[in-house]
Amino acid sequence: MTRERIIAATSKVLAEKGYDATTLREISREAQAAPGLVHYYFGGKDQLLVEVLQEAGQRFNQTMKLLVQEVPADQALDAFLTKLYERVGQEPNVYRLRYESFSLGLHNPLIEPKVRERLAQRREEIGSVMAKVLESDTKGSAIDPNTLASLLLPLFDGLALQKIMDPTFDLDASYQLLARMLHSLLSHAGE
Amino acid sequence: MTRERIIAATSKVLAEKGYDATTLREISREAQAAPGLVHYYFGGKDQLLVEVLQEAGQRFNQTMKLLVQEVPADQALDAFLTKLYERVGQEPNVYRLRYESFSLGLHNPLIEPKVRERLAQRREEIGSVMAKVLESDTKGSAIDPNTLASLLLPLFDGLALQKIMDPTFDLDASYQLLARMLHSLLSHAGE
Amino acid sequence: MTRERIIAATSKVLAEKGYDATTLREISREAQAAPGLVHYYFGGKDQLLVEVLQEAGQRFNQTMKLLVQEVPADQALDAFLTKLYERVGQEPNVYRLRYESFSLGLHNPLIEPKVRERLAQRREEIGSVMAKVLESDTKGSAIDPNTLASLLLPLFDGLALQKIMDPTFDLDASYQLLARMLHSLLSHAGE
Amino acid sequence: MTRERIIAATSKVLAEKGYDATTLREISREAQAAPGLVHYYFGGKDQLLVEVLQEAGQRFNQTMKLLVQEVPADQALDAFLTKLYERVGQEPNVYRLRYESFSLGLHNPLIEPKVRERLAQRREEIGSVMAKVLESDTKGSAIDPNTLASLLLPLFDGLALQKIMDPTFDLDASYQLLARMLHSLLSHAGE
DNA sequence: GATGAATGAGGATTCATTCAT
DNA sequence: GATGAATGAATCCTCATTCAT
C-alpha cells in the first residue's frame, strides 16, 4: 500500500522535476511516507527511480501493444495513427517519463541497454503492424516493414516532444500529412 | 582564453554527464582552471551551463542553415537528406547537447521558451527548403511546406536519438526510405 | 536535546565571535553535532542566529521584568538600580548578545523592526517602574515617567557597554552618581 | 587621489553594510578603482577597514573637542548639550561608524584597546568640560567631574543608538529632561 | 602608479543514507 | 513494518589576495 503510494509519488515528481532534481524528501512528502522507507523498499534512490522508469516504459509498450490489437485489420493504418495521435495530447506525463528515460539512458551506461532494448521491442511491434498493412495493401511491395517502423517510432516520439514543448504545435496537421505520405507510399510502392 | 577553455570543457562534460551530473569541479579540472573562475566569468553554474547550451543550440541552427544553402537547387531534396544523414554519424556530441537542451527545457520554465523558439526557427528553415523543393517539383501541390517541416524536424531528431542510443541502428535504410516517401509524396501530390 | 545543544553552542560562539564571524562549523563542533543539523532544525545559518538572538532578547526583557516585580515598592528606585548594576557584572554574555542584536538590527532591515520593538517594550517597562516611583515620591511632579525611561534605558545599555569594553571602568561610581541624580531630581521636581 | 576615493567609499559602505558584509569588490566599485589597489595602498581588507574606523573615531573625538571649545564658559552646560543633540540628528553615519567600531572592538582583541582608549579619552574631555561647569556653578560640590563624564558619555552614545534605530524616538524630550536633571543635581549638589 | 585576470581556501547548503527505536 | 533524527560527503559559491603586465 505504502509501496504503491511511493511509486505513484515518484512518477509524479519525476515527470515534473526530472531525474536529478527529484529528491527523496519530496517523494516521501508527496507519498506521505517516512524518508527511510524508500531504502526499506527499494534499496536507494537510484533503484527506486530506475524501477519506476522501467515500469513506466513497460507499461508504455504494453499499452501501445494493446492499443494496436484492438484495431480491425482493414482500417489498420488510419486507426493506428489516430490512436497514437490521441494519446499524445491526453497523457503528456507518460511521454515526459519516456523522455526522462531516454535522458537517463543517454548518460547512464547501466540503464542504456534497457532503454535500447525497449526501443527495439517497440520498433518490432510497429513493424508487425506495418507488415499487416503492407500485406493487405500492396502487391509485391519492396518496402520492409521494419525499416518503415524504424522511421515511424522516432517520428512519433519526435512529434510528441514537439507537442509537449510547444502546446501550439499543430500535431493534427502533422498526423494528417503523415497519413497522406503513408498512403501515397503504399499505393505506389511497387512502381 | 581561459574563458574559452571553460566553455569547451563544459561542452564536453555536459555531453557526457548531462546537466545535473556536471560538476564545476570536473569542469575546472578539464579546463585546468580554478573553480572560482566559473563564477568570475559566468556568475554561477546555471548561467554557464545555460549559456553553453544556448550557444550550442545557435551553432546547431546556424550550421544547418549554411549546410542547406550550399546545396544546388536542382538536387535539393536528396542532397539535403544526405547532409543531415552524414551529420548525425559524425558529430554525436552535437546531438547529445541538443537533447540535453531539450531535457533542460522540459523541466526548467525559464529555458523552455528559448528551446521552443529554436525549434520553431528550425522548422521554418526546413520549411523554406521544402518550399523550394515543392515549387520546382510539383504542379499545384496541396502540400504546405511548413507542415512538411513540422514532420521532418521531429523525424530527424528522433532518428538521431535512435542512432545515438543504438549504434547498430540502420540510419542509412531509414533515410533511404524517407527519401522514397518524400519523392512518392511529391510526385503524386496533386492527385 | 541536540537542538538545545546547538542553541547553547550558538549563544556561546555568537557572544564571542559576533554574527558574521560565527561559522556553522564552529557551532557544530561546539555542540558536537553534524553540520547538516543546523539546516535540519533551523533551515539555515541566518534563521538559527536570528532565532537565538531573538530568544536571548526576549529572555533579557523577561528577566528584567521579573527582576523589577520582586522589588518592594517603598525602596523601588534604589533596589532597581542595584539589581541592574549587579546584572551587568555577572552576566557579560547577556549584554554581548544584546549588542550583537543591536549590531544586526543596524544593518539588517528585516531584523531592525524587531529590535526596535524590543527597545520600545523595554522602555515601557522601565516607564511603569518609574511611574510608581514618581507617584510615591513626589507631589505634583511634572516629570513624565516614559521620558525618564527613555533616558534610563540607553544609559543602562551605554554603561554596560563601557564596562564590557573596559573592565576597569568604575561602574559602581556611575551608578551611585546616577542614584544621587535621580533622588535630586525627584525631590525637587516640583520646583 | 584614488586613495582618498577608496577611503570615502569604504566609510560609506562600512556604515551601510557593517564590517563583515563590506567587500573589497563593492568598495572598489564604489570608488571606481581596481580591486588590487586596496592591497597596494593599505595592505589588505582588515588594515583598510581598521584604518578607516580609527580615523573616523579620531575625527569624531576631534570634532567633539572643537565643538566644546567654541562654547562660551558661562553657558557651557546647555550649549554643550544642544550641540550634541544637533549632531546626532544631522550625521547618523558618524554614529553608525562609531557603533561599527564598538562592534569590532567587542570581538577583535587587537582593536579593543584602541577603542577603549578612545572612550577613555572622550570621557576625559567631557570630564574637563564638566569640571568647568561644576566650578562655576557650585560651592564645594562633592561631585567628581570624571564620574559625571562616565555617566554622560554612555548616555550620549546610548541615546544616539536609540535615535538611529527608531527615528520616531523623541530625542528632544530626553535631552531636555537630561538638562533638567543636571541643573537639579548641580544646584543641590552640596546638600 | 594602476589593472584585473586568476587563485584557492573556507563557507553555507543539500541530500542520500543509516540506524536506534 | 515503519519512523525520523542524525550523519557527512559533496556541491556551489564568495571573497580576500596575488601577480604579470
Side-chain angles (χ1 to χ4, degrees):
Chain A
M1 196 59 195
T2 304
R3 200 178 188 278
E4 270 73 28
R5 277 214 317 282
I6 291 176
I7 290 180
T10 303
S11 294
K12 187 181 169 187
V13 178
L14 202 44
E16 269 176 33
K17 302 288 176 67
Y19 193 93
D20 295 87
T22 294
T23 66
L24 293 190
R25 185 170 299 182
E26 188 164 2
I27 289 176
S28 65
R29 200 189 321 130
E30 178 81 30
Q32 289 182 314
L37 273 190
V38 168
H39 292 83
Y40 187 76
Y41 282 124
F42 303 89
K45 182 192 178 184
D46 283 357
Q47 283 100 314
L48 167 61
L49 264 59
V50 166
E51 181 169 332
V52 166
L53 244 25
Q54 195 79 351
E55 204 175 286
Q58 285 168 357
R59 206 165 39 233
F60 181 91
N61 277 13
Q62 187 63 20
T63 308
M64 286 303 183
K65 205 169 182 175
L66 293 176
L67 193 143
V68 164
Q69 292 173 350
E70 296 168 359
V71 168
D74 58 343
Q75 56 183 49
L77 188 57
D78 289 329
F80 182 59
L81 288 178
T82 303
K83 288 279 181 188
L84 284 176
Y85 167 66
E86 286 170 348
R87 195 164 170 71
V88 175
Q90 284 162 11
E91 302 200 53
N93 265 13
V94 167
Y95 276 91
R96 284 185 173 270
L97 287 179
R98 185 164 173 81
Y99 293 121
E100 212 51 51
S101 173
F102 291 162
S103 189
L104 186 59
L106 235 26
H107 301 299
N108 186 328
L110 273 61
I111 308 305
E112 201 218 346
K114 297 182 183 174
V115 175
R116 181 163 50 214
E117 196 177 334
R118 278 213 309 281
L119 281 176
Q121 180 188 337
R122 191 76 189 95
R123 282 198 304 266
E124 278 178 34
E125 284 163 23
I126 296 180
S128 69
V129 176
M130 288 304 122
K132 281 195 224 159
V133 171
L134 289 169
E135 219 170 76
S136 66
D137 234 330
T138 335
K139 50 285 122 159
S141 160
I143 298 176
D144 176 24
N146 290 324
T147 304
L148 187 53
S150 296
L151 211 56
L152 291 179
L153 176 58
L155 179 56
F156 297 150
D157 285 337
L159 283 171
L161 179 61
Q162 300 279 330
K163 183 64 182 175
I164 288 178
M165 295 241 37
D166 184 356
T168 70
F169 181 80
D170 192 349
L171 192 58
D172 190 29
S174 294
Y175 265 90
Q176 284 181 12
L177 180 55
L178 173 60
R180 230 175 109 187
M181 279 180 71
L182 288 174
H183 281 299
S184 168
L185 179 70
L186 295 178
S187 57
H188 304 90
E191 294 178 8
Chain B
M1 196 60 195
T2 304
R3 211 188 122 99
E4 271 72 29
R5 276 213 318 282
I6 291 175
I7 290 181
T10 304
S11 295
K12 188 180 169 189
V13 179
L14 202 43
E16 269 176 32
K17 301 289 176 70
Y19 195 92
D20 295 88
T22 293
T23 68
L24 293 190
R25 184 174 301 184
E26 188 162 3
I27 288 176
S28 64
R29 200 192 320 130
E30 179 79 31
Q32 286 183 316
L37 268 191
V38 167
H39 296 85
Y40 182 74
Y41 282 120
F42 303 91
K45 183 191 176 185
D46 282 1
Q47 281 105 311
L48 167 62
L49 265 57
V50 166
E51 183 170 329
V52 167
L53 243 26
Q54 195 81 348
E55 204 176 287
Q58 284 169 359
R59 209 167 34 235
F60 181 90
N61 277 14
Q62 188 63 20
T63 308
M64 286 304 183
K65 206 171 182 176
L66 293 176
L67 192 142
V68 164
Q69 292 172 349
E70 295 169 359
V71 168
D74 59 341
Q75 54 181 46
L77 188 58
D78 288 330
F80 182 59
L81 289 178
T82 303
K83 288 278 181 188
L84 285 176
Y85 165 65
E86 286 170 348
R87 196 165 169 71
V88 175
Q90 283 162 14
E91 303 199 55
N93 264 13
V94 167
Y95 276 92
R96 284 184 173 269
L97 286 180
R98 186 166 172 82
Y99 293 122
E100 211 51 50
S101 175
F102 292 162
S103 188
L104 185 59
L106 236 27
H107 300 300
N108 185 331
L110 272 62
I111 306 306
E112 199 218 349
K114 296 181 182 174
V115 175
R116 181 163 51 211
E117 198 177 330
R118 277 215 307 280
L119 282 176
Q121 182 186 334
R122 191 82 187 92
R123 283 199 302 266
E124 276 179 35
E125 284 164 23
I126 296 181
S128 69
V129 175
M130 288 304 121
K132 279 195 225 160
V133 171
L134 291 168
E135 219 171 76
S136 65
D137 233 329
T138 334
K139 37 309 96 164
S141 159
I143 299 176
D144 177 24
N146 289 322
T147 304
L148 188 53
S150 295
L151 211 58
L152 290 180
L153 177 59
L155 179 56
F156 298 149
D157 285 337
L159 283 171
L161 179 61
Q162 301 280 329
K163 183 62 183 177
I164 288 178
M165 295 242 34
D166 184 356
T168 70
F169 181 80
D170 191 350
L171 192 58
D172 190 28
S174 294
Y175 265 89
Q176 285 182 10
L177 180 55
L178 172 60
R180 233 174 104 187
M181 280 179 72
L182 287 173
H183 282 299
S184 166
L185 178 71
L186 295 177
S187 56
H188 304 89
E191 294 177 9
Chain C
M1 196 59 195
T2 304
R3 211 188 121 100
E4 271 73 26
R5 276 212 320 280
I6 290 175
I7 290 181
T10 303
S11 295
K12 188 179 169 190
V13 178
L14 202 43
E16 269 175 33
K17 301 289 177 69
Y19 194 92
D20 295 87
T22 294
T23 67
L24 294 190
R25 185 173 300 184
E26 187 162 3
I27 289 176
S28 64
R29 200 191 321 130
E30 179 79 31
Q32 287 182 317
L37 269 190
V38 167
H39 295 84
Y40 183 74
Y41 282 121
F42 302 90
K45 182 191 177 184
D46 282 1
Q47 282 106 310
L48 167 61
L49 265 58
V50 166
E51 183 170 328
V52 166
L53 243 27
Q54 195 81 347
E55 204 177 286
Q58 284 168 359
R59 208 167 35 235
F60 181 90
N61 277 14
Q62 187 62 21
T63 308
M64 285 305 182
K65 205 170 181 174
L66 292 175
L67 192 143
V68 164
Q69 293 173 349
E70 296 168 358
V71 167
D74 57 343
Q75 56 182 46
L77 188 58
D78 288 331
F80 182 58
L81 290 178
T82 303
K83 288 278 181 188
L84 285 176
Y85 166 66
E86 286 170 349
R87 195 164 170 70
V88 175
Q90 282 163 12
E91 302 199 54
N93 263 13
V94 166
Y95 276 91
R96 284 184 173 270
L97 286 180
R98 185 165 173 82
Y99 293 122
E100 212 50 51
S101 175
F102 291 162
S103 187
L104 185 58
L106 236 26
H107 300 299
N108 186 331
L110 274 62
I111 307 305
E112 200 219 348
K114 296 181 182 174
V115 175
R116 180 162 54 212
E117 199 178 333
R118 277 213 309 279
L119 282 176
Q121 181 187 336
R122 190 83 186 90
R123 283 198 304 265
E124 277 179 35
E125 284 164 23
I126 296 181
S128 70
V129 176
M130 288 304 121
K132 279 197 224 157
V133 171
L134 290 169
E135 220 172 76
S136 66
D137 234 329
T138 335
K139 50 277 117 163
S141 159
I143 298 177
D144 177 24
N146 289 324
T147 304
L148 187 53
S150 295
L151 211 58
L152 290 179
L153 177 59
L155 179 55
F156 297 150
D157 284 337
L159 283 171
L161 179 61
Q162 300 281 330
K163 183 63 182 175
I164 288 178
M165 295 243 32
D166 184 355
T168 70
F169 181 80
D170 191 349
L171 192 59
D172 191 27
S174 294
Y175 265 91
Q176 286 182 10
L177 179 55
L178 172 61
R180 235 175 103 187
M181 280 180 71
L182 287 174
H183 282 299
S184 166
L185 177 72
L186 296 178
S187 55
H188 304 89
E191 293 176 11
Chain D
M1 196 62 194
T2 305
R3 200 179 189 277
E4 271 73 28
R5 277 214 317 282
I6 292 176
I7 290 180
T10 304
S11 295
K12 188 180 169 189
V13 178
L14 202 43
E16 270 176 31
K17 302 287 176 67
Y19 194 93
D20 295 87
T22 293
T23 66
L24 292 190
R25 186 169 300 183
E26 187 163 3
I27 289 176
S28 65
R29 201 190 319 130
E30 178 81 30
Q32 289 182 316
L37 273 189
V38 168
H39 292 83
Y40 186 76
Y41 282 124
F42 303 89
K45 181 192 178 184
D46 283 356
Q47 283 101 313
L48 167 61
L49 266 59
V50 167
E51 182 169 331
V52 166
L53 244 26
Q54 194 80 352
E55 204 175 286
Q58 284 167 359
R59 208 166 37 235
F60 181 90
N61 277 15
Q62 187 62 19
T63 307
M64 286 304 183
K65 205 170 182 176
L66 292 176
L67 193 143
V68 165
Q69 292 173 350
E70 295 168 0
V71 168
D74 58 342
Q75 55 182 47
L77 188 57
D78 289 331
F80 182 58
L81 289 178
T82 304
K83 287 280 180 188
L84 285 176
Y85 166 66
E86 286 169 349
R87 195 163 171 71
V88 175
Q90 282 162 12
E91 302 199 53
N93 264 14
V94 166
Y95 276 91
R96 285 185 173 269
L97 287 179
R98 185 165 171 82
Y99 293 122
E100 212 50 51
S101 174
F102 291 163
S103 189
L104 186 59
L106 236 26
H107 301 300
N108 186 330
L110 273 60
I111 307 306
E112 201 217 348
K114 297 181 183 174
V115 175
R116 181 162 51 213
E117 197 177 332
R118 277 213 309 282
L119 282 176
Q121 181 188 335
R122 193 75 190 95
R123 282 198 304 266
E124 277 178 35
E125 283 163 24
I126 296 180
S128 70
V129 175
M130 288 303 121
K132 280 196 224 159
V133 171
L134 290 169
E135 219 170 76
S136 68
D137 232 330
T138 335
K139 48 289 120 157
S141 159
I143 299 176
D144 176 23
N146 290 324
T147 304
L148 187 53
S150 295
L151 210 57
L152 291 179
L153 177 59
L155 178 56
F156 297 150
D157 285 338
L159 283 172
L161 179 61
Q162 300 279 329
K163 183 63 181 176
I164 288 178
M165 295 242 36
D166 184 356
T168 70
F169 181 80
D170 192 350
L171 192 58
D172 191 28
S174 294
Y175 265 90
Q176 285 181 12
L177 180 56
L178 173 60
R180 230 174 109 187
M181 280 182 70
L182 287 175
H183 282 299
S184 168
L185 178 71
L186 295 179
S187 56
H188 304 89
E191 295 176 8

